[in-house]
């Protein structure tokens, strides 16, 4: 049986710049001979991508939003993440359950106890091996979002206070999980961030 692969997730508020590093990290790992799947949440499967389109555009009740995030995640784990890890491949995923705690919990105020029930149901407290949290004051992230040429989604359109609450919820989770969640100061050059990512991933996963 293959040695189980590693599961690495990227997190951060909208505009923190994490997504530009996801493919780069996957390539860096591939250069080390690893087979790497790159995926994202919400999304990552045909059904999950349909749920993503709804989640990013359609107004809905907070609990509906949370349940759909976890429904997409259940499918993603079953179809993509778990099979890849079982085959010994690595999975690099743009967002996972920490995002639900940060956005639906911190940002929108859903009680943690409900999130814990869904988390246990969907992945039984199995956690990523490493989470890279891109941290940035929302004022800087807002300027990055403002430069986007596409239409902003339902989350990006939220007010500054929402994003501040999301950021603090992420930092609280990092403080509670200091080994798994590594905080990266995202207000640095691409090269500086890549050096940091190399060091963190080498130390924690290789
Ligand atoms: P993305 O822009 O990073 O692809 O993520 C899409 C949006 O979905 C982002 O604003 C954060 C939000 N989101 C949640 O609110 N809860 C979740 O559980 C996940 C995975 C994403």
């Amino acid at each position: 049986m293959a040695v189980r692969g590693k599961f690495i997730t990227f997190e951060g508020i909208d505009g923190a710049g994490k997504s530009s590093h996801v493919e780069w990290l996957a390539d860096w790992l591939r250069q080390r001979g690893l087979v790497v799947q790159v995926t994202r949440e919400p999304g990552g499967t045909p059904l999950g991508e349909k749920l993503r389109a709804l989640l990013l555009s359609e107004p809905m009740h907070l609990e509906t939003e949370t349940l759909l995030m976890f429904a997409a995640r259940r499918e993603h784990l079953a179809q993509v993440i778990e099979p890849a890890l079982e085959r010994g491949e690595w999975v690099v995923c743009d967002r996972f359950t920490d995002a639900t705690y940060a956005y639906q919990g911190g940002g929108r105020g859903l009680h943690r106890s409900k999130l814990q029930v869904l988390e246990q149901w969907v992945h039984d407290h199995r956690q990523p091996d490493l989470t890279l949290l891109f941290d940035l004051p929302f004022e800087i992230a807002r300027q990055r979002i403002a430069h986007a040429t596409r239409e902003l989604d339902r989350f990006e359109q939220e007010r500054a206070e929402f994003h501040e609450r999301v950021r603090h919820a992420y930092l609280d989770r990092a403080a509670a999980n200091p080994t798994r969640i590594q905080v990266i100061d995202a207000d640095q050059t691409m090269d500086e961030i890549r050096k940091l990512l190399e060091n963190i991933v080498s130390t924690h996963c290789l």
Side-chain angles (χ1 to χ4, degrees):
M1 209 173 71
V3 177
R4 194 177 161 84
K6 302 274 187 197
F7 182 30
I8 301 179
T9 58
F10 279 65
E11 298 283 358
I13 60 170
D14 294 280
K18 65 186 167 43
S19 302
S20 31
H21 297 282
V22 170
E23 276 295 345
W24 175 84
L25 179 67
D27 282 340
W28 186 81
L29 291 168
R30 288 181 189 120
Q31 283 160 23
R32 272 141 199 85
L34 297 161
V35 178
V36 185
Q37 301 282 340
V38 175
T39 187
R40 68 172 179 181
E41 291 208 348
T45 64
L47 175 62
E49 291 294 327
K50 287 186 182 160
L51 293 174
R52 178 188 176 91
L54 286 173
L55 281 160
L56 297 194
S57 63
E58 199 72 29
M60 62 184 80
H61 188 281
L62 167 58
E63 292 185 357
T64 310
E65 180 177 287
T66 308
L67 288 163
L68 289 181
M69 290 290 179
F70 272 105
R73 183 162 300 135
R74 187 71 201 89
E75 194 66 15
H76 196 200
L77 281 158
Q79 302 292 341
V80 177
I81 299 175
E82 278 299 328
L85 296 175
E86 290 288 320
R87 289 194 298 270
E89 297 170 11
W90 286 39
V91 176
V92 176
C93 188
D94 195 343
R95 299 193 186 280
F96 193 62
T97 299
D98 292 308
T100 323
Y101 278 95
Y103 281 79
Q104 283 65 49
R108 300 223 197 276
L110 188 70
H111 199 276
R112 255 180 94 74
S113 58
K114 291 194 170 162
L115 295 170
Q116 283 165 335
V117 170
L118 292 172
E119 179 182 27
Q120 182 169 20
W121 192 16
V122 168
H123 55 100
D124 199 18
H125 297 300
R126 186 180 275 242
Q127 295 296 336
D129 295 289
L130 174 66
T131 296
L132 300 160
L133 171 57
F134 283 62
D135 181 56
L136 194 65
F138 179 64
E139 269 319 303
I140 303 177
R142 185 213 290 275
Q143 290 161 22
R144 295 186 182 176
I145 295 173
H147 286 119
T149 45
R150 58 186 170 74
E151 202 182 318
L152 298 186
D153 67 41
R154 225 159 52 80
F155 295 97
E156 291 166 328
Q157 285 172 20
E158 285 286 348
R159 287 148 30 128
E161 303 84 75
F162 171 85
H163 294 282
E164 292 295 353
R165 289 197 299 274
V166 172
R167 181 184 183 205
H168 285 108
Y170 267 133
L171 291 174
D172 286 349
R173 277 187 80 69
N177 301 275
T179 307
R180 175 175 67 87
I181 305 182
Q182 294 289 312
V183 182
I184 290 161
D185 172 4
D187 192 13
Q188 302 184 71
T189 65
M190 291 282 246
D191 282 349
E192 285 168 332
I193 291 178
R194 285 173 181 180
K195 276 265 152 337
L196 215 53
L197 294 180
E198 283 181 18
N199 283 337
I200 294 171
V201 173
S202 302
T203 309
H204 288 263
C205 297
L206 291 173

